[in-house]
Amino acid sequence: MFFHWLEKNPFFFAVMTFAVIAFAGLIEIVPNFTEAARPLTTTTPRTVLELAGKNVYIKDNCIACHSQLIRPFKSETDRYGNYSLSGEYAFDRPFLWGSKRTGPDLHRVGNYRTTDWHENHMKNPPDIVPGSIMPSYKHQFTNVADIETAYAEAVTVKNVFNVPYGDDIKAGRKAWEAYRPKVLEDAKKVAADMKDEGVKKMIANGKVPEIVALIAYLNSLK
Amino acid sequence: MQSNAALEYDYTVAKMFTYVTILFGFLGMLIGTTMALQLAFPELSNLIGEYGTFSRLRPVHTNTVIFGFTVSGVFATWYYFSQRVLKVSMAESKFLMTIGKIHFWLYFVGALIATVTLVLGISQGKEYAQYNWWVDIVIVIVWILWGVSMFGLIGIRREKVLYVSIWYYMACFLGIAMLYLFNNASIPTYFLSDGLGSINNSVSMYAGTNDALVQWWYGHNAVAFGFTVPIVGMIYYFLPKESGQAVYSYKLSLLSFWGLMFVYLWAGSHHLLWSTVPDWMQTMGSTFSIVLILPSWGSAINMLLTMKGEWNQLADNPLIKFMVIASTFYMLSTIEGPIQAIKSVNAIAHFTDWIPGHVHDGVLGWVAFMIMASLFHMAPRMWKKEIYSKKLMGIQFWMQTTGVVLYFTSMWVAGITQGMMWRAVDEYGNLVYSFIDTVTVLHPYYTIRGISGVLYLSGFILFAYNMYKTITAGKELTEEPQFRTPMA
Amino acid sequence: MNALTIKALGFAALLIIATLAVVIQMDIDLTDSINAIAVGGAIAIATITAYVTTLYIGKMKTDTATGELVDENWDGIGERTNELPSGWAYTFLGTIIWLVWYWFIGYPVFGFSQIGQYNEEVLAHKARYEKKFAAASPSELKDMGKSLFFVQCAPCHGNTGDGLSGKAHDLTKRISKSEVLDVINNGSNKLGYPMGMMPPGMASGKDAEDIATYIAGGLKGEAPASSAACTSCHGADFKGNNGMAPNLVAYDNTLISHVLENGKKGIIGTMPSFKTMITPIQEKALTAYIQSIVE
Ligand code: HEM
Ligand code: HEM
Ligand SMILES: [Ca+2]
Ligand SMILES: [Ca+2]
Ligand SMILES: [Cu+2]
């Protein structure tokens, strides 16, 4: 019998196994690949500050508790806003849909929460929402966000994947030095709505605290 | 029956992997228990600043138990039983011995460094693929080394026909190799920006919905080829071996194997139900998941039928108990998963604690039980000592079984309750519950889960202690036991 | 059925009853089709697993191993040539036939679309509730507003609406002195009233203090003379001049409507706009509820 023959011929056994398992992947992923890569006309890439915030989101792994995917149920659209559309994610590398909602969905949190709320909340969630089990993220108020890496990320996706960033985003230290003030400007705008003295001091010293980048990112989730 | 007495098998590498299986099992479960308690008592999340939050710890837990505990368990058992069913000793090939040792050391050092990177928050963000790009490269090399050592040993085998367990371990190797490479493909930003920013950062090759498709094609099958395939291979060796019973049906082995290989991969999109991937892809995931029950149950049934007429063994050998219970938990999780993959059920189950409940039926009741039982079976043969204490093993069995039952029942109730509360509307058609209402209601279940974690972890400590005492103080054996493991 | 199976089914039943008990306690509508199917799924998982696993484990007690052995033997492990268990084989075959049917007939004919289903869900919801409460009574409105408030507003304003000690506006009072002073000093222009913006510096120093005390105090006693600067816009009674500027003594419908539409930015912080989240009837309900909690 064929299968028994395979059991005596490890090489062909392996080839057969591989063929059988590889096959489904092609059918499951390939047909939708181009379609799913298209942004909506209204989707814009994130700013460098927002990208830095996204990296804080990944570093502190908020995805452990928060999804970013609103399913098409009335109960979800009532709670979080419109159901999510594929094109909205076209610039998200990685995607951050999550698989567990220990906390609420955040895909449109920028619509119904604001900077000062996040500031209070991230410092100590139970102060704002009694009974909250979310950890406090005080360290984000003192850690410095890595905006240079965020910029490098923008450069990379622009050059490799044609993400529509402006001409001022290009490789090299000089271009970055020229761009840096813009990021600080954005950070200042966010910090203006915040109360934390330490944050204001860091911004004044030309540093962007992680919390500022993170809030810029959360506000961009709309 | 041919005797193996003429062959001296070399267990050097198997022993080394046995040690780290225990080490990573302990670490991973310690962190799991900590996390479980953190959700019940959130103050515990803020004891050591940014490094101790639930969110930082979660990938440390998942990756340590998967790539630390499970994978080294797979390696340990591979280096043990492969020699025996292929009738060839590692000692016969200097080359394979060297590869085996490099395989171990690169794996061990790599795993330690990888764990530290996660604690520091260096992550690619995708579940079960968080290790950053250069850690991924180390993992790929480790995997290639395993491949060389695996196919090398198969190449010099004396037993012409490959035993079922070998099929499964080969599939594990191939499946993970393919999936891991595709899903972790990413571009380091440092090199494409002329040296800006951190060397650790990279961007995924895929964006948005595409990234999701690749991720869950990987994620689902990482479960398949990490938590299912090699563990099935494990039970196919260790249960018949420990019990001395012949495998019930070759046909059932055959159909289950090829059925599993063929069907598993299609089911991945059940992780993306109600998302933005096209309806037909989602439906494909749902329908294939239902079909998947049968090849999964096939192996479990084959094992249970192998024990036909052997009730006395079940009653008085704790190792048989572990393996029979493992099969039943395997059956539980492989019908629970498919039912959660039905779109309407998933509408409730997805995003809730019912999913971690399902996960731990599988990982605690099936994966960890099988790994511990296998190591127990191996120890007297590798160290030529009797198992230190049968009594401890019995206590461990009941603690851990209670642990799993408490885990899945509490998360089952928690998940279903929460999923339904999210949908609930009042008499006017508006949502009744604010999100926090659906969190506070879970407190009792989170507490029960915390207790279950403590029980399971304590059981694991007993296991580690029993292994340690066996190695250091077990009664010497003069002859290798043919089947049943000797225990004091 | 053997004793083991009965015990296992008993455990399954217990688990399901416990689940239902908890769920019913939370006032869950089990007639909702999604909820019903999920419960059905849970029952299937528990009972099928309990039944089938114990069926096979039971055989360890009753049956004996039989069957030819294959030629090979691996490390002492033999393998039998037994036929497939028929229950398993037929179910497998059945699921495969079902799969083929589903893909070539079931799915194309059924033509499921999740967005289509969503649209139907929304229409059904409207049909069920919208007409019924189009002319809701004041007490119904207040009641309706309550769960809306808990879900949408309480995360900022707190469950009692008190603003969580100064982290958002205190809705149990109309307005505080510091808020009034801030508006006098800095103006305000987010609410979108017909009057446009409120210019900064309409009063200053002690005048501003007095006005703020008077307004925050709920217009008790004599109005300070300087408050004339305000009445031109806010009306002599400070009730907003028929909706031209905010009512400073009560949360009237116009004010809530403007806040929900535009959000608000002030000394406390920023309140987001809810225009995409709140329907007109929900706005009425929220208004009624807020008017009911103000002291
Ligand atoms: C027939 C076999 C199985 C099927 C069809 C299946 C199906 C599923 C489904 C539908 C989900 C939930 C996805 C979601 O809504 O988030 C899931 C999650 C999961 N299952 Fe299974 N399951 C099976 C067996 C197993 C086994 C045996 C294990 C482990 C030993 C396992 C481990 C997991 C894990 C780790 C997750 C969580 C994935 C995540 O992070 O979201 N599954 N499975
Ligand atoms: C003492 C035993 C354990 C305890 C108390 C425990 C606890 C936990 C907790 C609390 C979570 C997070 C769930 C959530 O986010 O709501 C989790 C996730 C997870 N654990 Fe464990 N764990 C244990 C052992 C294990 C073992 C041995 C494995 C694997 C072999 C494992 C695999 C996983 C996986 C794959 C996830 C992610 C599930 C998902 O994303 O849905 N755990 N565990
Ligand atoms: Ca997950
Ligand atoms: Ca990775
Ligand atoms: Cu899956």
Side-chain angles (χ1 to χ4, degrees), chain A residues 63-64 98-100, chain B residues 58 62 127-128 216 355-356 359:
Chain A
I63 201 174
S99 63
K100 180 76 213 299
Chain B
R58 198 181 193 277
T62 54
E127 252 183 300
Y128 315 120
W216 286 112
I355 304 300
V359 172

Short mmCIF file of all heavy atoms in Angstrom, two decimals, chain A residues 63-64 98-100, chain B residues 58 62 127-128 216 355-356 359, ligand 3:
data_model
loop_
_atom_site.label_atom_id
_atom_site.label_comp_id
_atom_site.label_asym_id
_atom_site.label_seq_id
_atom_site.Cartn_x
_atom_site.Cartn_y
_atom_site.Cartn_z
N ILE A 63 -2.08 44.52 24.24
CA ILE A 63 -2.86 43.53 23.50
C ILE A 63 -3.20 42.32 24.36
O ILE A 63 -4.08 41.54 24.02
CB ILE A 63 -2.06 43.12 22.24
CG1 ILE A 63 -2.99 42.53 21.18
CG2 ILE A 63 -0.95 42.15 22.57
CD1 ILE A 63 -2.29 42.25 19.88
N ALA A 64 -2.49 42.17 25.49
CA ALA A 64 -2.83 41.09 26.41
C ALA A 64 -4.28 41.19 26.86
O ALA A 64 -4.92 40.19 27.13
CB ALA A 64 -1.91 41.12 27.62
N GLY A 98 -5.72 41.57 18.58
CA GLY A 98 -5.83 40.91 19.87
C GLY A 98 -6.76 39.71 19.82
O GLY A 98 -7.46 39.49 18.83
N SER A 99 -6.75 38.93 20.92
CA SER A 99 -7.62 37.77 20.95
C SER A 99 -8.30 37.63 22.30
O SER A 99 -8.92 36.64 22.60
CB SER A 99 -6.84 36.50 20.63
OG SER A 99 -5.85 36.27 21.61
N LYS A 100 -8.18 38.65 23.13
CA LYS A 100 -8.77 38.56 24.47
C LYS A 100 -9.20 39.94 24.90
O LYS A 100 -8.45 40.89 24.73
CB LYS A 100 -7.72 37.98 25.45
CG LYS A 100 -8.19 37.82 26.87
CD LYS A 100 -9.09 36.63 27.07
CE LYS A 100 -10.14 36.86 28.13
NZ LYS A 100 -9.62 37.14 29.45
N ARG B 58 2.48 38.23 30.42
CA ARG B 58 1.69 37.28 29.63
C ARG B 58 2.49 36.62 28.51
O ARG B 58 2.53 35.40 28.42
CB ARG B 58 0.43 37.94 29.09
CG ARG B 58 -0.64 36.93 28.66
CD ARG B 58 -1.84 37.67 28.12
NE ARG B 58 -3.01 36.85 27.96
CZ ARG B 58 -3.26 36.07 26.92
NH1 ARG B 58 -2.36 35.98 25.96
NH2 ARG B 58 -4.36 35.38 26.84
N THR B 62 3.40 32.62 28.03
CA THR B 62 3.04 31.79 26.87
C THR B 62 4.30 31.28 26.17
O THR B 62 4.38 30.10 25.84
CB THR B 62 2.17 32.56 25.85
OG1 THR B 62 2.82 33.77 25.50
CG2 THR B 62 0.81 32.87 26.42
N GLU B 127 0.98 37.42 18.71
CA GLU B 127 0.88 36.37 19.71
C GLU B 127 1.67 35.13 19.34
O GLU B 127 1.56 34.64 18.21
CB GLU B 127 -0.59 35.98 19.91
CG GLU B 127 -1.12 36.47 21.24
CD GLU B 127 -2.54 36.02 21.45
OE1 GLU B 127 -3.41 36.37 20.63
OE2 GLU B 127 -2.79 35.33 22.44
N TYR B 128 2.39 34.59 20.28
CA TYR B 128 3.22 33.40 20.11
C TYR B 128 4.37 33.63 19.12
O TYR B 128 5.08 32.70 18.77
CB TYR B 128 2.40 32.18 19.67
CG TYR B 128 1.12 32.02 20.45
CD1 TYR B 128 -0.12 32.04 19.82
CD2 TYR B 128 1.16 31.88 21.83
CE1 TYR B 128 -1.29 31.93 20.55
CE2 TYR B 128 -0.02 31.75 22.56
CZ TYR B 128 -1.23 31.78 21.91
OH TYR B 128 -2.40 31.67 22.62
N TRP B 216 -2.76 33.91 12.10
CA TRP B 216 -3.60 32.84 12.65
C TRP B 216 -3.47 31.54 11.87
O TRP B 216 -3.78 30.47 12.39
CB TRP B 216 -5.03 33.29 12.87
CG TRP B 216 -5.03 34.17 14.08
CD1 TRP B 216 -5.27 35.51 14.13
CD2 TRP B 216 -4.69 33.78 15.43
NE1 TRP B 216 -5.10 35.98 15.41
CE2 TRP B 216 -4.75 34.95 16.22
CE3 TRP B 216 -4.33 32.58 16.04
CZ2 TRP B 216 -4.47 34.94 17.60
CZ3 TRP B 216 -4.06 32.57 17.41
CH2 TRP B 216 -4.13 33.74 18.16
N ILE B 355 -12.04 31.11 26.17
CA ILE B 355 -10.93 30.69 25.31
C ILE B 355 -9.72 30.24 26.14
O ILE B 355 -9.24 29.12 25.96
CB ILE B 355 -10.57 31.79 24.29
CG1 ILE B 355 -11.80 32.19 23.44
CG2 ILE B 355 -9.44 31.34 23.38
CD1 ILE B 355 -12.43 31.09 22.63
N PRO B 356 -9.21 31.07 27.07
CA PRO B 356 -8.15 30.53 27.93
C PRO B 356 -8.59 29.24 28.65
O PRO B 356 -7.75 28.37 28.89
CB PRO B 356 -7.90 31.66 28.94
CG PRO B 356 -8.28 32.89 28.19
CD PRO B 356 -9.40 32.52 27.27
N VAL B 359 -8.01 26.62 26.15
CA VAL B 359 -6.56 26.48 25.99
C VAL B 359 -5.99 25.58 27.08
O VAL B 359 -5.23 24.66 26.81
CB VAL B 359 -5.88 27.86 26.06
CG1 VAL B 359 -4.37 27.71 26.09
CG2 VAL B 359 -6.32 28.74 24.90
CA CA D 3 -4.75 34.82 22.75
#
